Amino acid sequence: MSRPRMPHYVGAIALVRRDAAEPGDRDVADPALRSEWLSVWNSAQGVLTLPQAEKLEGESYRDALVREVAWAAGLDGGKDYLVSHAPRAHLQFADQCEGPTEGDITIVQFYLCELFRRGRAKLEERLASEPGAVRWLTAGDLEAGEADGKPIASAQLALMKRADLIPPREG
């Protein structure tokens, strides 16, 4: 009897966005360069990660992410933020490796997450009271794979690049 192949990863990643430039700021004309993305410090792995959730049985990708953003960022779903109803991107591919995991499948969906005023205020309070617990990443940070000397999760970056979600830097 052959062993069923289990997925390598099935889940979702939140693209929690804020506009870093003031409206009308002439120094930042490109909207892609105005955005910053929320990351959370993962002390166990020693990396910055975007909020990410593995999908549990019977749970939608979106529901998994609503749960995880609330836990990772210390926010209340529906009161502090809104996760888009449809994913921004969906990736599904097989990793080619040897042994019992040959042909493992990775399935990941990326959702935009918009903060309400209350959520932005909570995050600003957390930034002040717990320096390093959460931080905002620029497109340049994502492209470089680090922010202020702290690495960004390489697996997430690889998935974001594969989905063409890392905005290009000028220059």
Side-chain angles (χ1 to χ4, degrees):
M1 180 190 308
S2 69
R3 191 175 142 208
R5 292 184 178 161
M6 298 302 292
H8 169 65
Y9 178 79
V10 177
I13 297 174
L15 303 170
V16 183
R17 178 179 56 193
R18 81 170 180 178
D19 192 358
E22 295 297 319
D25 188 342
R26 294 171 201 232
D27 293 333
V28 187
D30 183 352
L33 299 176
R34 298 168 65 98
S35 295
E36 290 182 325
W37 311 96
L38 182 70
S39 68
V40 179
W41 177 248
N42 182 322
S43 58
Q45 295 179 0
V47 295
L48 294 165
T49 62
L50 278 66
Q52 172 178 311
E54 287 198 44
K55 183 178 169 296
L56 303 176
E57 189 173 328
E59 187 177 44
S60 72
Y61 292 93
R62 183 181 179 278
D63 289 343
L65 208 50
V66 168
R67 168 182 46 81
E68 187 63 23
V69 169
W71 179 81
L75 301 174
D76 295 323
K79 295 180 182 178
D80 296 333
Y81 64 94
L82 177 66
V83 175
S84 61
H85 286 283
R88 166 73 168 83
H90 173 94
L91 288 179
Q92 183 170 333
F93 57 92
D95 291 326
Q96 298 303 316
C97 26
E98 295 180 22
T101 60
E102 185 177 342
D104 282 353
I105 300 293
T106 295
I107 303 170
V108 63
Q109 292 188 349
F110 295 88
Y111 286 83
L112 290 177
C113 183
E114 295 293 333
L115 295 169
F116 297 139
R117 185 174 298 142
R118 176 180 147 157
R120 286 192 303 269
K122 277 185 169 181
L123 284 175
E124 291 305 319
E125 286 175 19
R126 188 165 180 204
L127 284 166
S129 67
E130 299 177 60
V134 294
R135 70 162 288 131
W136 293 100
L137 303 174
T138 65
D141 295 333
L142 292 170
E143 190 174 276
E146 67 175 39
D148 295 330
K150 293 183 177 181
I152 300 170
S154 60
Q156 283 188 341
L157 289 172
L159 290 170
M160 292 177 75
K161 286 178 183 174
R162 193 168 186 156
D164 199 26
L165 292 174
I166 296 179
R169 261 193 320 191
E170 283 185 352

